[in-house]
Amino acid sequence: MFDTSFSTNDLSYMLQGAWLTLQLTFWAMLIGTAFGIVFGLLRTMYPKRTIPLGWFLDIFRSVPLLIQFVLFNSFKSIANLPYDAFQVAAVVLGVYTAAFCTEIVRSGILSVPEGLSKASRSLGMTQKQTLLYIVLPLATRISFPGWVSLALSVMKDSALVMWIGVIELLRASQSIITRIQEPLLVLCVAGLFYYVMSLVIARVGVKFERRWQIND
C-alpha cells in the first residue's frame, strides 16, 4: 500500500506558491508588455536613433536571469531601497520580459506588408491613422502567438526568484521535500501545477485567436 507523509497542508502550501507564481507572471507580463509595445514602436519607427536602447535591451536578453535577480537584489540591499523581494522579482522579471516583448512587437510590425500602408495613405489616411487602424491590429494578430509563448516562458522562469527568497511554487516544493523526504511525489505534484497553469494560459490564447478568426 502506498504510504506518504504528504498532507493536505502541504498541498495548500504548494497552492499558495502556485498563486504567487501566477502573480509574478501577471506583473511581469503587464510591465513587459507595456514597455515592450513602446520600445517596439520606437525601434521600428526610429531604428537608428534607438540603437542605444537596442544595446540596453540586449543586455537583459543576454545576461542569465538568475544573475539579474541576484545583482538587483544586492543593489537593493546596498542602496537600502524600501522594496521587498517580491517587488524586486516583479520588476526584474518585467524588464527581462520587456526586452523580449520589444522584439516580438517589432517583428510583428515589420511583418505587415508595406503595400497595405501605402494603400491606406493613398486613401487619405494619415500616418497616425494608418498605424492605429491598419498596422497595429494586424501586427497584434501576428505577434500574439509569440506573446503567449513568452508568457509561458516567463511563468517557468519565475522559479528562479527562489534564490532571492520569494516562496513561489518551486521554493514551496523544495521546503516540503526537505521536511518529508519524498522528492519524486512532491516534484510530480509541482509539475502537475505547472502543467495546469500552462494549459490554462495556452487555452485562453487559442480562444482569443479563434475569436479573431470568427470576427474576420
Side-chain angles (χ1 to χ4, degrees), residues 62-136:
S62 303
V63 177
L65 186 55
L66 177 58
I67 295 178
Q68 296 182 39
F69 281 131
V70 174
L71 290 178
F72 276 85
N73 192 56
S74 299
F75 174 77
K76 184 262 297 185
S77 300
I78 294 172
N80 198 25
L81 298 176
Y83 302 114
D84 58 27
F86 179 87
Q87 292 171 321
V88 172
V91 170
V92 173
L93 202 56
V95 176
Y96 177 79
T97 303
F100 286 94
C101 191
T102 297
E103 291 305 308
I104 292 175
V105 172
R106 190 173 73 91
S107 62
I109 294 175
L110 293 177
S111 297
V112 177
E114 188 176 354
L116 292 176
S117 298
K118 292 181 179 179
S120 63
R121 296 299 297 274
S122 67
L123 293 174
M125 297 179 69
T126 64
Q127 183 177 4
K128 182 179 179 180
Q129 289 174 329
T130 300
L131 181 65
L132 290 177
Y133 300 116
I134 303 296
V135 176
L136 286 183

Side-chain angles (χ1 to χ4, degrees), residues 193-213:
F193 277 128
Y194 278 114
Y195 171 74
V196 171
M197 292 188 294
S198 299
L199 183 63
V200 170
I201 293 174
R203 292 294 184 184
V204 171
V206 170
K207 185 175 181 180
F208 272 103
E209 285 190 85
R210 287 178 178 174
R211 181 174 296 180
W212 276 331
Q213 292 175 357

